[in-house]
Amino acid sequence: MTLWRTVNIGIAAVIMIVGLSSAVWAGDARLELSKDSTLETVLKHKTLRVGFSTFKPWAMKDKDGQFIGFEIDVAKRLASEMGVEVRFIPTKWDGIIPALLTGKFDIIIGGMGITPQRNLKVNFSDPYEFTGMAIVANKAVAPDKSSLKEFNMASTKVSVRLGTTAEKAAKNFLPKADIRKFSDEAASIQELLNGKVACLIASNPLPANLVKKYPEKLYLPLQSDFTQEPIGFAVRKGDPDFLNFLNNWIKVTNAQGWLEARFNYWFKTDDWKSLVE
Amino acid sequence: MPNNSKRITSLDVLLLAAISGGLIWFAYHIVTQLNYSWDWSAAPGYIARFDKSSQQWKAGLLLQGLIVTLRLSIWSVFSALIIGTIMGIWRTSPRPLLRMISGSYVGLIRNIPPLVLIFIFYFFLGDQIMRATGITELSYSLNDKTSPVLNVLFGSVEQLPAFLSGVITMSLFEGAYITEIIRAGIESIEEEQWEASAALGFNRRNQLIHIILPQAFSRCLPPLAGQFISTIKDSSIVSIISIQELTFAGQELMSATYKTFEIWTVVIFLYFALTFPCSIAVRALEKKMNKQKNL
């Protein structure tokens, strides 16, 4: 019987210890949460790791191999105001969310449009910029069209970049069309130029730039963007501290007019063209 | 008896005409049928360009990618050879446990598509290994200026964890093929060599080191060389985990400039510039070894 009692007391003691310590853990939950915040990790390592994908003029490499672009400016300013170094980690667009989730970098600053599906996997900051979808068509394959309706036919082939909001926009606005997906922007453009597809859906300023470059082959069927999409920073879920910092940074920077000035420089002017080509 | 005289026959002329005709038709097709405005003006700059402000030559984006490819290939070939040799010896070992380990290694790796293997390793295993070995922490504490040696050997510190998981996956993957090459080499050595060396009082370890492996390696050389060259080309597959090697650099450049065909052409040329000298070196080595055999 002594053995039985010893075992019983032992089990009771273990249960009590576990119970008590879990109560202590619960009390520390808030502390733990803020300690685990990406914000703390970034400050501790003095490095902000930024994931992005090459996407002209959001982010690209110049002739020397340095990263330039709107998002690069945003990331640099964000890091400098946090007092940390910035580390750029170029990543393929179709793998960028898994790379964020598995901790290859701390934040996606890459012109990522906020969508409910993406939001199920990551947290988004408030939008710091807006972009619109536009359509650019091949003159030989799909001549003289001026509305989305005219492209919404089973016989119309549409090219988009895989995993972008353009893919979603194509599905929503042209449900009947035959949508071709490409993992690289350049491939989707080449299909359009070769006349294998009738049109390309992409966020501006790409369609406008393409028409400027190939005026005899391409044209813009619509005069204005057909969507208005919010762009936000993407971070891992369950990190209110980091999100709070980012949202307020956006408010402050927006109020200073800095974001708009940079956006105009990269999207409305050609002053930076000589850096790339 | 092969005909070694170097005479040009009418068949040769016909073949040459057919091949060049095909090439010209192909080139014509590309130029006329493809809606593409060729622009080669920027292409040399992708390899190297003269920087006016600092008065020195700078590597272009594609050359930088080529250097990463070279680094990746050298490390992968080196460690794949080590893995392959050990596993190859184990494959032929009299101990069943060793045979089983190496057998399942080859069976497992060779039957997974490399793309899947790389994804699994990068997203699930790579991180754990890099964190456990402290390499992730290390990459934070270092920067490019603190360690020029590390920079030359492994590339920029920022890319170190990704680069290492690329190298590990590549060497695991190539190692499986090298295992089988080494095994074939060892098994091709005649039974008498084993018996004779055993008669000299060598144990199995010394038999392998002094008698069997030197002969096996010289027989393995042609397929091994092929495997090395294919490693250089296969390294393009790690572009999917965003290691900035030649293919990745090319794709980045394409999304910035939209000059698809020019850049792919330069990329092909650079890969060829890397692999063709390897082929020549191997041929020279084989010739030298054959000469020694005949003496």
Side-chain angles (χ1 to χ4, degrees), chain A residues 127-205:
Chain A
Y128 57 94
E129 205 40 79
F130 289 88
T131 175
M133 284 294 152
I135 193 164
V136 48
N138 189 309
K139 274 184 187 171
V141 183
D144 299 327
K145 300 198 177 190
S146 58
S147 74
L148 274 174
K149 248 185 228 160
E150 292 170 75
F151 287 99
N152 192 15
M153 287 181 287
S155 58
T156 310
K157 290 173 188 150
V158 181
S159 88
V160 292
R161 188 173 175 187
L162 189 71
T164 58
T165 45
E167 193 188 328
K168 293 263 146 47
K171 255 183 219 156
N172 292 340
F173 286 86
L174 308 171
K176 287 184 198 154
D178 175 8
I179 296 164
R180 304 280 167 98
K181 297 161 193 166
F182 299 90
S183 68
D184 274 309
E185 191 104 76
S188 65
I189 293 168
Q190 199 50 50
E191 290 286 294
L192 176 70
L193 289 171
N194 286 351
K196 299 249 177 73
V197 296
C199 65
L200 166 77
I201 292 182
S203 60
N204 255 328

Coordinates of all heavy atoms in Angstrom, one line a residue, chain A residues 127-205:
Chain A
P127 N -3.1 49.8 -46.2 CA -2.5 50.0 -47.5 C -1.7 51.3 -47.5 O -2.0 52.3 -46.9 CB -3.7 50.2 -48.4 CG -4.9 50.4 -47.6 CD -4.6 49.8 -46.3
Y128 N -0.5 51.2 -48.1 CA 0.3 52.4 -48.2 C 0.3 53.0 -49.7 O 0.9 54.0 -50.0 CB 1.7 52.2 -47.8 CG 2.5 51.1 -48.5 CD1 3.3 51.3 -49.5 CD2 2.3 49.7 -48.0 CE1 4.0 50.3 -50.2 CE2 3.0 48.7 -48.6 CZ 3.8 49.0 -49.7 OH 4.5 48.0 -50.4
E129 N -0.3 52.2 -50.6 CA -0.3 52.6 -52.0 C -1.5 51.9 -52.6 O -2.0 50.9 -52.1 CB 1.0 52.3 -52.6 CG 1.3 53.2 -53.8 CD 0.9 54.6 -53.6 OE1 1.6 55.4 -52.9 OE2 -0.2 55.0 -54.1
F130 N -1.9 52.5 -53.8 CA -3.0 51.8 -54.5 C -2.5 51.6 -56.0 O -1.8 52.4 -56.5 CB -4.3 52.6 -54.5 CG -4.9 52.6 -53.2 CD1 -4.6 53.6 -52.3 CD2 -5.9 51.7 -52.9 CE1 -5.2 53.6 -51.0 CE2 -6.5 51.7 -51.6 CZ -6.1 52.7 -50.7
T131 N -2.9 50.5 -56.5 CA -2.5 50.2 -57.9 C -3.8 49.7 -58.6 O -4.7 49.1 -58.0 CB -1.4 49.2 -58.0 OG1 -1.2 48.9 -59.4 CG2 -1.7 47.9 -57.3
G132 N -3.8 49.9 -59.9 CA -5.0 49.5 -60.7 C -4.6 48.5 -61.8 O -3.5 48.5 -62.3
M133 N -5.5 47.6 -62.1 CA -5.3 46.7 -63.2 C -5.7 47.3 -64.5 O -6.7 48.1 -64.6 CB -6.2 45.5 -63.0 CG -5.8 44.5 -62.0 SD -4.2 43.8 -62.5 CE -3.5 43.4 -60.9
A134 N -4.9 47.1 -65.5 CA -5.2 47.6 -66.8 C -5.1 46.4 -67.8 O -4.5 45.4 -67.5 CB -4.3 48.7 -67.2
I135 N -5.6 46.6 -69.0 CA -5.5 45.6 -70.0 C -4.8 46.1 -71.3 O -4.9 47.3 -71.6 CB -7.0 45.1 -70.4 CG1 -7.0 43.8 -71.1 CG2 -7.8 46.2 -71.0 CD1 -8.4 43.2 -71.1
V136 N -3.9 45.3 -71.8 CA -3.2 45.7 -73.0 C -3.4 44.6 -74.1 O -3.3 43.4 -73.7 CB -1.7 46.0 -72.8 CG1 -1.1 44.9 -72.0 CG2 -1.0 46.3 -74.1
A137 N -3.8 45.0 -75.3 CA -4.2 44.0 -76.3 C -3.4 44.1 -77.5 O -2.8 45.1 -77.8 CB -5.7 44.2 -76.6
N138 N -3.3 42.9 -78.2 CA -2.6 42.8 -79.5 C -3.4 43.3 -80.6 O -4.6 42.9 -80.8 CB -2.2 41.4 -79.7 CG -1.2 41.2 -80.8 OD1 -1.5 41.7 -81.9 ND2 -0.1 40.5 -80.6
K139 N -2.9 44.3 -81.4 CA -3.7 44.9 -82.5 C -4.1 43.9 -83.5 O -5.2 44.0 -84.1 CB -2.9 46.0 -83.1 CG -3.1 47.4 -82.4 CD -2.3 48.4 -83.2 CE -2.3 49.7 -82.5 NZ -1.5 50.7 -83.1
A140 N -3.2 42.9 -83.8 CA -3.5 42.0 -84.9 C -4.5 40.9 -84.5 O -5.4 40.6 -85.2 CB -2.2 41.3 -85.3
V141 N -4.4 40.5 -83.2 CA -5.3 39.4 -82.8 C -6.6 39.9 -82.3 O -7.7 39.3 -82.6 CB -4.6 38.6 -81.6 CG1 -5.4 37.4 -81.2 CG2 -3.2 38.1 -82.0
A142 N -6.7 41.0 -81.5 CA -7.9 41.5 -81.0 C -8.0 43.0 -81.3 O -7.8 43.8 -80.4 CB -8.0 41.2 -79.5
P143 N -8.4 43.3 -82.5 CA -8.4 44.7 -82.9 C -9.7 45.5 -82.5 O -10.7 44.8 -82.3 CB -8.3 44.7 -84.5 CG -8.9 43.4 -84.8 CD -8.7 42.4 -83.7
D144 N -9.5 46.7 -82.2 CA -10.6 47.7 -82.0 C -11.6 47.2 -80.9 O -12.8 47.1 -81.2 CB -11.4 47.9 -83.3 CG -10.5 48.5 -84.4 OD1 -9.6 49.3 -83.9 OD2 -10.6 48.2 -85.5
K145 N -11.1 46.9 -79.8 CA -12.1 46.6 -78.7 C -12.0 47.8 -77.7 O -10.9 48.4 -77.5 CB -11.7 45.3 -78.0 CG -11.8 44.2 -79.0 CD -11.8 42.8 -78.3 CE -12.0 41.8 -79.4 NZ -12.3 40.5 -78.9
S146 N -13.1 48.0 -77.0 CA -13.0 49.2 -76.1 C -13.7 48.9 -74.7 O -13.9 49.8 -73.9 CB -13.6 50.4 -76.7 OG -14.9 50.1 -77.1
S147 N -14.1 47.6 -74.5 CA -14.7 47.3 -73.2 C -14.3 45.9 -72.8 O -13.9 45.1 -73.6 CB -16.2 47.4 -73.3 OG -16.7 46.2 -74.0
L148 N -14.4 45.7 -71.5 CA -14.0 44.3 -71.0 C -14.9 43.3 -71.5 O -14.5 42.1 -71.8 CB -14.1 44.3 -69.4 CG -12.9 44.8 -68.7 CD1 -13.2 44.9 -67.2 CD2 -11.7 43.9 -68.9
K149 N -16.1 43.6 -71.8 CA -17.1 42.6 -72.3 C -16.6 42.0 -73.6 O -16.8 40.8 -73.8 CB -18.4 43.3 -72.6 CG -19.6 42.9 -71.6 CD -20.8 43.6 -72.0 CE -21.5 44.2 -70.8 NZ -22.5 45.2 -71.2
E150 N -16.0 42.8 -74.4 CA -15.6 42.2 -75.7 C -14.5 41.2 -75.6 O -14.2 40.5 -76.5 CB -15.1 43.4 -76.6 CG -16.3 44.3 -77.0 CD -15.8 45.5 -77.7 OE1 -15.4 45.4 -78.8 OE2 -15.8 46.6 -77.0
F151 N -13.8 41.2 -74.4 CA -12.7 40.2 -74.2 C -13.3 39.0 -73.5 O -12.6 37.9 -73.4 CB -11.6 40.8 -73.3 CG -10.8 41.8 -74.1 CD1 -11.0 43.1 -74.0 CD2 -9.8 41.3 -74.9 CE1 -10.2 44.1 -74.6 CE2 -9.0 42.2 -75.6 CZ -9.2 43.6 -75.5
N152 N -14.5 39.0 -73.0 CA -15.1 38.0 -72.2 C -15.7 36.9 -73.1 O -16.9 36.7 -73.1 CB -16.1 38.5 -71.2 CG -16.4 37.5 -70.1 OD1 -15.8 36.5 -70.0 ND2 -17.5 37.7 -69.4
M153 N -14.9 36.2 -73.8 CA -15.4 35.1 -74.7 C -14.5 33.9 -74.6 O -13.3 34.1 -74.3 CB -15.4 35.6 -76.2 CG -16.4 36.7 -76.4 SD -16.4 37.2 -78.1 CE -14.9 38.2 -78.2
A154 N -15.0 32.7 -74.8 CA -14.2 31.5 -74.6 C -13.1 31.5 -75.6 O -12.1 30.8 -75.4 CB -15.1 30.3 -74.9
S155 N -13.2 32.2 -76.7 CA -12.2 32.1 -77.8 C -11.0 33.1 -77.4 O -10.0 33.0 -78.1 CB -12.8 32.5 -79.1 OG -13.4 33.7 -79.0
T156 N -11.2 34.0 -76.5 CA -10.2 35.0 -76.2 C -9.2 34.4 -75.2 O -9.5 33.9 -74.1 CB -10.8 36.2 -75.6 OG1 -11.9 36.6 -76.4 CG2 -9.8 37.3 -75.5
K157 N -7.9 34.4 -75.6 CA -6.8 34.0 -74.7 C -6.2 35.2 -73.9 O -5.9 36.2 -74.6 CB -5.8 33.2 -75.4 CG -6.3 31.9 -75.9 CD -5.2 31.3 -76.8 CE -5.8 30.0 -77.5 NZ -5.2 29.8 -78.8
V158 N -6.1 35.1 -72.6 CA -5.6 36.2 -71.8 C -4.4 35.7 -71.0 O -4.4 34.6 -70.5 CB -6.7 36.6 -70.8 CG1 -6.2 37.7 -69.9 CG2 -8.0 36.9 -71.5
S159 N -3.3 36.5 -71.1 CA -2.2 36.0 -70.3 C -2.0 36.9 -69.0 O -2.3 38.1 -69.0 CB -0.9 36.0 -71.1 OG -0.3 37.3 -71.1
V160 N -1.6 36.2 -67.9 CA -1.4 36.8 -66.6 C -0.2 36.2 -66.0 O 0.2 35.1 -66.3 CB -2.6 36.7 -65.7 CG1 -3.8 37.5 -66.2 CG2 -3.0 35.2 -65.4
R161 N 0.3 36.9 -64.9 CA 1.4 36.3 -64.2 C 0.8 35.5 -63.0 O -0.1 36.0 -62.3 CB 2.3 37.5 -63.6 CG 3.6 36.9 -63.0 CD 4.5 38.1 -62.7 NE 5.7 37.7 -61.9 CZ 6.5 38.5 -61.4 NH1 6.3 39.8 -61.5 NH2 7.6 38.1 -60.8
L162 N 1.3 34.3 -62.9 CA 0.8 33.4 -61.9 C 0.9 34.0 -60.5 O 1.9 34.6 -60.1 CB 1.7 32.1 -61.9 CG 1.3 30.9 -61.1 CD1 0.1 30.3 -61.7 CD2 2.4 29.9 -61.0
G163 N -0.2 33.8 -59.7 CA -0.2 34.2 -58.3 C -0.4 35.6 -58.1 O -0.3 36.1 -56.9
T164 N -0.6 36.4 -59.1 CA -0.7 37.9 -58.9 C -2.2 38.2 -58.8 O -3.1 37.4 -59.1 CB -0.2 38.7 -60.1 OG1 -0.8 38.3 -61.3 CG2 1.3 38.5 -60.2
T165 N -2.5 39.4 -58.4 CA -3.9 39.9 -58.3 C -4.5 40.0 -59.7 O -5.7 40.0 -59.9 CB -4.0 41.2 -57.6 OG1 -3.0 42.1 -58.0 CG2 -3.9 41.0 -56.1
A166 N -3.6 40.1 -60.7 CA -4.0 40.1 -62.1 C -4.8 38.8 -62.4 O -5.7 38.8 -63.2 CB -2.9 40.3 -63.1
E167 N -4.3 37.7 -61.9 CA -4.9 36.4 -62.1 C -6.3 36.4 -61.6 O -7.3 36.0 -62.3 CB -4.1 35.3 -61.4 CG -4.4 33.9 -61.8 CD -3.7 32.9 -60.9 OE1 -2.6 33.2 -60.5 OE2 -4.3 31.8 -60.7
K168 N -6.5 37.0 -60.4 CA -7.8 37.1 -59.7 C -8.7 38.0 -60.6 O -9.9 37.7 -60.9 CB -7.7 37.7 -58.3 CG -7.0 36.8 -57.4 CD -8.0 36.0 -56.6 CE -7.4 34.6 -56.2 NZ -6.1 34.6 -55.7
A169 N -8.1 39.1 -61.0 CA -8.9 40.1 -61.7 C -9.4 39.5 -63.1 O -10.6 39.7 -63.5 CB -8.1 41.4 -62.0
A170 N -8.5 38.7 -63.7 CA -8.9 38.1 -65.0 C -10.0 37.1 -64.7 O -11.0 37.1 -65.5 CB -7.7 37.4 -65.6
K171 N -10.0 36.3 -63.6 CA -11.0 35.4 -63.3 C -12.3 36.1 -63.1 O -13.4 35.6 -63.5 CB -10.6 34.5 -62.1 CG -10.2 33.1 -62.5 CD -9.9 32.4 -61.2 CE -8.6 31.5 -61.4 NZ -8.0 31.2 -60.2
N172 N -12.3 37.2 -62.3 CA -13.5 37.9 -62.0 C -14.1 38.6 -63.1 O -15.4 38.6 -63.3 CB -13.2 38.9 -60.8 CG -12.9 38.2 -59.5 OD1 -13.2 37.0 -59.4 ND2 -12.2 38.8 -58.6
F173 N -13.3 39.3 -63.9 CA -13.9 40.2 -64.9 C -14.0 39.5 -66.3 O -14.8 39.9 -67.1 CB -13.0 41.4 -65.1 CG -13.1 42.4 -64.0 CD1 -12.4 42.3 -62.8 CD2 -14.0 43.5 -64.1 CE1 -12.5 43.2 -61.8 CE2 -14.2 44.4 -63.0 CZ -13.4 44.2 -61.9
L174 N -13.2 38.4 -66.5 CA -13.3 37.7 -67.8 C -13.5 36.2 -67.5 O -12.7 35.4 -67.8 CB -12.1 37.9 -68.6 CG -11.6 39.3 -68.9 CD1 -10.3 39.4 -69.5 CD2 -12.6 40.1 -69.7
P175 N -14.7 35.8 -66.8 CA -14.8 34.5 -66.4 C -14.9 33.5 -67.6 O -14.6 32.3 -67.4 CB -16.1 34.5 -65.6 CG -16.9 35.7 -66.1 CD -15.8 36.7 -66.5
K176 N -15.3 33.9 -68.7 CA -15.4 33.0 -69.9 C -14.1 32.8 -70.6 O -14.0 31.9 -71.4 CB -16.5 33.5 -70.8 CG -17.9 33.4 -70.3 CD -18.9 33.9 -71.4 CE -20.3 34.2 -70.8 NZ -21.0 35.1 -71.6
A177 N -13.2 33.8 -70.5 CA -12.0 33.8 -71.3 C -11.1 32.6 -70.9 O -11.2 32.1 -69.8 CB -11.3 35.1 -71.2
D178 N -10.2 32.3 -71.8 CA -9.2 31.2 -71.6 C -8.0 31.9 -71.0 O -7.2 32.6 -71.7 CB -8.9 30.6 -73.0 CG -7.8 29.6 -72.9 OD1 -7.4 29.2 -71.8 OD2 -7.4 29.1 -74.0
I179 N -7.7 31.7 -69.7 CA -6.7 32.4 -69.0 C -5.4 31.5 -69.0 O -5.4 30.4 -68.5 CB -7.1 32.8 -67.6 CG1 -8.3 33.7 -67.7 CG2 -6.0 33.4 -66.8 CD1 -9.1 33.9 -66.4
R180 N -4.3 32.1 -69.5 CA -3.0 31.4 -69.5 C -2.1 32.1 -68.5 O -2.0 33.3 -68.4 CB -2.3 31.6 -70.9 CG -3.2 31.1 -72.1 CD -3.1 29.6 -72.2 NE -4.1 29.1 -73.1 CZ -3.8 28.8 -74.3 NH1 -2.6 29.0 -74.8 NH2 -4.8 28.3 -75.1
K181 N -1.6 31.2 -67.6 CA -0.8 31.7 -66.5 C 0.7 31.5 -66.7 O 1.1 30.4 -67.1 CB -1.2 31.1 -65.2 CG -2.6 31.4 -64.8 CD -3.2 30.4 -63.8 CE -4.7 30.5 -63.8 NZ -5.3 29.4 -63.1
F182 N 1.5 32.5 -66.4 CA 3.0 32.4 -66.5 C 3.6 32.8 -65.2 O 3.2 33.7 -64.6 CB 3.5 33.3 -67.7 CG 2.9 32.9 -69.0 CD1 1.7 33.5 -69.4 CD2 3.5 32.0 -69.8 CE1 1.2 33.1 -70.6 CE2 3.0 31.6 -71.0 CZ 1.8 32.2 -71.4
S183 N 4.7 32.1 -64.9 CA 5.3 32.4 -63.6 C 6.3 33.6 -63.8 O 6.6 34.3 -62.8 CB 6.1 31.2 -63.0 OG 7.2 30.9 -63.8
D184 N 6.6 33.9 -65.0 CA 7.5 35.1 -65.2 C 6.7 36.2 -66.1 O 6.0 35.8 -67.0 CB 8.8 34.7 -66.0 CG 9.8 34.3 -65.0 OD1 10.1 35.0 -64.1 OD2 10.4 33.2 -65.2
E185 N 6.9 37.4 -65.6 CA 6.3 38.5 -66.4 C 6.7 38.5 -67.8 O 5.9 38.7 -68.7 CB 6.7 39.8 -65.7 CG 6.0 41.0 -66.2 CD 5.0 41.4 -65.1 OE1 5.4 42.0 -64.1 OE2 3.8 41.1 -65.3
A186 N 8.1 38.3 -68.0 CA 8.6 38.4 -69.4 C 7.9 37.4 -70.3 O 7.6 37.7 -71.5 CB 10.1 38.2 -69.3
A187 N 7.7 36.2 -69.8 CA 7.1 35.2 -70.7 C 5.6 35.6 -71.0 O 5.2 35.4 -72.2 CB 7.1 33.9 -69.9
S188 N 4.9 36.2 -70.1 CA 3.5 36.5 -70.4 C 3.5 37.7 -71.4 O 2.6 37.7 -72.3 CB 2.8 37.0 -69.1 OG 3.4 38.1 -68.6
I189 N 4.5 38.5 -71.4 CA 4.6 39.6 -72.3 C 4.9 39.1 -73.7 O 4.3 39.5 -74.7 CB 5.6 40.7 -71.9 CG1 5.1 41.4 -70.6 CG2 5.8 41.7 -73.0 CD1 6.1 42.2 -69.9
Q190 N 5.8 38.1 -73.7 CA 6.3 37.6 -75.0 C 5.1 36.9 -75.7 O 4.9 37.0 -76.9 CB 7.4 36.6 -74.8 CG 8.2 36.3 -76.0 CD 8.6 37.6 -76.8 OE1 9.2 38.5 -76.2 NE2 8.3 37.7 -78.1
E191 N 4.2 36.2 -75.0 CA 3.1 35.6 -75.6 C 2.2 36.6 -76.2 O 1.6 36.4 -77.3 CB 2.3 34.8 -74.5 CG 2.9 33.6 -74.0 CD 2.9 32.4 -74.9 OE1 1.8 31.9 -75.2 OE2 4.0 32.1 -75.4
L192 N 2.0 37.7 -75.6 CA 1.2 38.8 -76.1 C 1.8 39.4 -77.4 O 1.1 39.5 -78.4 CB 1.1 39.9 -75.1 CG 0.3 41.2 -75.6 CD1 -1.2 40.9 -75.7 CD2 0.5 42.3 -74.6
L193 N 3.1 39.6 -77.4 CA 3.8 40.1 -78.6 C 3.8 39.2 -79.7 O 3.6 39.6 -80.9 CB 5.3 40.5 -78.2 CG 5.4 41.7 -77.3 CD1 6.9 41.8 -76.9 CD2 5.0 43.0 -78.0
N194 N 3.9 37.9 -79.4 CA 3.8 36.9 -80.5 C 2.4 36.6 -81.0 O 2.3 35.8 -81.9 CB 4.4 35.5 -80.0 CG 5.9 35.6 -79.8 OD1 6.5 36.5 -80.2 ND2 6.4 34.6 -79.2
G195 N 1.4 37.2 -80.4 CA 0.1 37.0 -80.8 C -0.5 35.7 -80.4 O -1.5 35.3 -80.9
K196 N 0.1 35.0 -79.4 CA -0.5 33.7 -79.0 C -1.7 34.0 -78.0 O -2.5 33.1 -77.8 CB 0.6 32.9 -78.2 CG 1.8 32.6 -79.0 CD 1.9 31.1 -79.3 CE 3.0 30.7 -80.2 NZ 4.3 30.8 -79.5
V197 N -1.7 35.2 -77.4 CA -2.8 35.6 -76.6 C -3.4 36.9 -77.1 O -2.6 37.6 -77.8 CB -2.5 35.7 -75.1 CG1 -2.0 34.4 -74.5 CG2 -1.4 36.8 -74.9
A198 N -4.6 37.2 -76.8 CA -5.2 38.4 -77.3 C -4.8 39.6 -76.4 O -4.7 40.7 -76.9 CB -6.7 38.2 -77.4
C199 N -4.7 39.4 -75.1 CA -4.5 40.5 -74.3 C -3.7 40.0 -73.0 O -3.7 38.8 -72.7 CB -5.8 41.2 -73.9 SG -6.9 40.2 -72.9
L200 N -3.2 41.0 -72.3 CA -2.5 40.8 -71.1 C -3.1 41.6 -70.0 O -3.4 42.8 -70.2 CB -1.0 41.1 -71.3 CG -0.1 41.3 -70.0 CD1 0.2 39.9 -69.5 CD2 1.1 42.1 -70.3
I201 N -3.3 41.0 -68.8 CA -3.8 41.8 -67.7 C -2.7 42.0 -66.7 O -2.1 41.0 -66.3 CB -5.1 41.2 -67.1 CG1 -6.2 41.2 -68.1 CG2 -5.5 41.9 -65.8 CD1 -7.5 40.7 -67.6
A202 N -2.4 43.2 -66.3 CA -1.4 43.4 -65.4 C -1.6 44.8 -64.7 O -2.4 45.6 -65.2 CB 0.0 43.5 -66.0
S203 N -0.9 45.0 -63.6 CA -1.2 46.3 -62.9 C -0.4 47.3 -63.6 O 0.7 47.1 -64.1 CB -0.8 46.2 -61.4 OG 0.6 45.8 -61.3
N204 N -0.9 48.5 -63.6 CA -0.2 49.7 -64.2 C 1.0 50.0 -63.4 O 1.1 49.6 -62.2 CB -1.1 50.9 -64.3 CG -1.6 51.1 -65.7 OD1 -0.9 50.8 -66.6 ND2 -2.8 51.6 -65.8
P205 N 2.1 50.5 -64.0 CA 2.2 51.1 -65.3 C 2.7 50.2 -66.4 O 3.0 50.6 -67.5 CB 3.3 52.2 -65.1 CG 4.2 51.5 -64.1 CD 3.4 50.6 -63.2

